[in-house]
Amino acid sequence: MTPVRSLARAMLSGIFVVSGYRNFRNPDRLAPTAQPVTDKVAPILQKAHPRIPTDTETLIRLNSAVQVTAGLMLATGRFSRPAALVLAGTLVPVTIAGHPFWNNDDPVARNNNQVHVLKNLGLFGGLLLAAADTGGKPGLRWRTGHRIGHSRRSVRRAVRTARREARIAVRSASTARRLPG
């Protein structure tokens, strides 16, 4: 991994590790803001799996733990592509719950929340780039196509070899019939 990639991943993941840690330790400060979103998500989670906790503070803690874990994975380069996608997924509820500028009547608060939404969109874009970054190595699509091409060539070679051997066997059999015996 190049130094630029390492530095960029560490810088991108920093906000998730720090804010995830803070929010994990103190979820009650976010609970009133997150409550409207968690109330809408709770029934879906209950349908998906009845044992998933649906109280607001626990959901904040879960999201925070995921952010810390995936942020550290991104920063260290371990499973960085899936970690970037997971972090992008955690941004969606955070942005909707934390910065609903569409509900603000105060122009200053509305502007402040719009700036935060744009910042989160920028982070989302950076995470998508990190998720697509193969680190200079061929991506899965190329490797799959290359493997398929290699397999096709191998099959063609095997078919040509089998035809050649069949022709040789036919010639040998016809020569063997002609010889007195």
Side-chain angles (χ1 to χ4, degrees), residues 77-155:
R78 302 281 182 222
F79 300 105
S80 57
R81 294 176 72 193
L85 285 176
V86 167
L87 287 172
T90 66
L91 262 180
V92 174
V94 167
T95 303
I96 292 170
H99 309 293
F101 67 88
W102 50 90
N103 291 337
N104 292 122
D105 293 329
D106 178 25
V108 174
R110 183 180 186 87
N111 186 48
N112 187 31
N113 279 328
Q114 283 178 330
V115 168
H116 282 291
V117 167
L118 291 172
K119 172 203 54 131
N120 285 357
L121 282 174
L123 286 171
F124 194 85
L127 290 168
L128 291 180
L129 284 173
D133 180 32
T134 61
K137 299 174 188 168
L140 185 60
R141 182 178 179 190
W142 182 89
R143 286 185 279 179
T144 303
H146 183 71
R147 242 329 115 204
I148 289 170
H150 177 73
S151 298
R152 285 180 181 156
R153 288 189 298 277
S154 295
V155 167

Side-chain angles (χ1 to χ4, degrees), residues 32-117:
T33 308
Q35 185 79 42
V37 174
T38 58
D39 286 346
K40 290 178 183 173
V41 172
I44 298 167
L45 292 174
Q46 283 295 313
K47 280 184 183 178
H49 199 286
R51 291 182 136 177
I52 295 176
T54 56
D55 64 289
T56 303
E57 288 190 16
T58 303
L59 291 175
I60 292 170
R61 278 203 166 109
L62 283 172
N63 193 55
S64 300
V66 168
Q67 285 184 336
V68 170
T69 304
L72 290 173
M73 290 169 66
L74 179 64
T76 60
R78 302 281 182 222
F79 300 105
S80 57
R81 294 176 72 193
L85 285 176
V86 167
L87 287 172
T90 66
L91 262 180
V92 174
V94 167
T95 303
I96 292 170
H99 309 293
F101 67 88
W102 50 90
N103 291 337
N104 292 122
D105 293 329
D106 178 25
V108 174
R110 183 180 186 87
N111 186 48
N112 187 31
N113 279 328
Q114 283 178 330
V115 168
H116 282 291
V117 167

Side-chain angles (χ1 to χ4, degrees), residues 155-171:
V155 167
R156 279 192 225 122
R157 266 193 307 268
V159 167
R160 280 195 308 263
T161 302
R163 285 179 181 161
R164 187 173 44 246
E165 289 176 0
R167 282 192 303 269
I168 292 169
V170 167
R171 277 190 228 133

